[in-house]
């Protein structure tokens, strides 16, 4: 469990250099789109990731400089199971990316509430998520994309 001070620090990193996103994906032969959640950080200095990796029990990677003019990069991806908890805890402290976090958490809540699991409905077919839930996730995702993209139009899902 993270303290309020740690959550506020993480919220500052998310607002400043963090990336919170969800991408609409289709699985091969899948009937329902997925909206995987991603929280990641990339820094030119190691210290912030060293600190939060200790708090979250995660590792980070170092990418060597690609030329003499560039610095090495340090990158950490926080998996969904931890990211949902972290974003929920950081929500009161987020300023710039608060709405993005709210939308990501709303997509995850709809998915969790409507996930049919791996239940077979006869033969080899899996049960589908209700169409209304898929449409709700798509609408939330469209709003999320509109917040992240000021230069290009956002495609509407049907």
């Amino acid at each position: 469990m993270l303290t309020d001070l740690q959550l506020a620090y993480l919220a500052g990193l998310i607002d400043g250099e963090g990336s919170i996103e969800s991408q609409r994906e289709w699985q091969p032969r899948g009937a329902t789109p997925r909206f995987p959640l991603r929280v990641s950080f990339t820094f030119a200095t190691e210290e912030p990731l060293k600190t939060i990796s200790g708090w979250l029990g995660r590792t980070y990677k170092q990418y060597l400089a690609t030329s003499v003019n560039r610095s090495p990069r340090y990158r950490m991806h926080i998996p969904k199971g931890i990211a949902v908890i972290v974003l929920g805890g950081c929500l009161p402290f987020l300023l710039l990316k608060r709405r993005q976090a709210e939308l990501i958490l709303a997509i995850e809540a709809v998915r969790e509430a409507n996930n049919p699991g791996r239940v077979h409905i006869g033969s080899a077919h899996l049960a589908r998520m209700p169409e209304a839930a898929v449409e709700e996730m798509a609408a939330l995702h469209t709003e999320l994309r509109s917040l992240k993209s000021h230069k290009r139009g956002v495609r509407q899902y049907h």
Side-chain angles (χ1 to χ4, degrees):
M1 196 63 173
L2 299 175
T3 67
D4 281 352
L5 181 62
Q6 291 169 320
L7 290 168
Y9 181 79
L10 277 167
L13 291 179
I14 290 169
D15 270 341
E17 296 295 325
S19 173
I20 53 177
E21 55 192 54
S22 178
Q23 182 175 339
R24 183 180 170 118
E25 294 178 353
W26 290 90
Q27 296 179 7
R29 296 183 303 251
T32 305
R34 295 177 19 174
F35 297 90
L37 158 63
R38 294 184 182 91
V39 176
S40 58
F41 299 98
T42 303
F43 292 101
T45 57
E46 184 177 15
E47 181 48 44
L49 291 184
K50 188 181 286 188
T51 298
I52 64 174
S53 71
W55 294 346
L56 301 176
R58 305 298 308 164
T59 59
Y60 59 93
K61 292 184 179 181
Q62 177 183 5
Y63 295 89
L64 300 176
T66 55
S67 73
V68 294
N69 298 336
R70 298 188 62 107
S71 301
R73 297 282 182 236
Y74 301 89
R75 183 171 293 155
M76 172 189 273
H77 298 286
I78 302 174
K80 180 179 79 171
I82 297 171
V84 168
I85 295 165
V86 166
L87 284 178
C90 287
L91 207 52
F93 305 106
L94 287 169
L95 300 174
L96 302 176
K97 296 181 181 171
R98 182 184 183 97
R99 184 63 185 149
Q100 292 175 17
E102 291 170 341
L103 290 167
I104 293 267
L105 292 172
I107 290 169
E108 183 57 25
V110 171
R111 189 204 60 76
E112 184 68 30
N114 294 283
N115 187 354
R118 308 270 317 151
V119 178
H120 286 273
I121 54 170
S123 68
H125 298 287
L126 293 173
R128 291 184 177 196
M129 183 177 285
E131 190 59 36
V134 173
E135 289 173 8
E136 184 178 358
M137 289 189 304
L140 291 164
H141 184 259
T142 297
E143 183 180 347
L144 176 67
R145 300 232 340 137
S146 73
L147 294 174
K148 294 179 72 69
S149 175
H150 301 290
K151 296 179 184 168
R152 55 186 157 81
V154 176
R155 214 176 64 208
Q156 296 292 321
Y157 301 114
H158 299 106

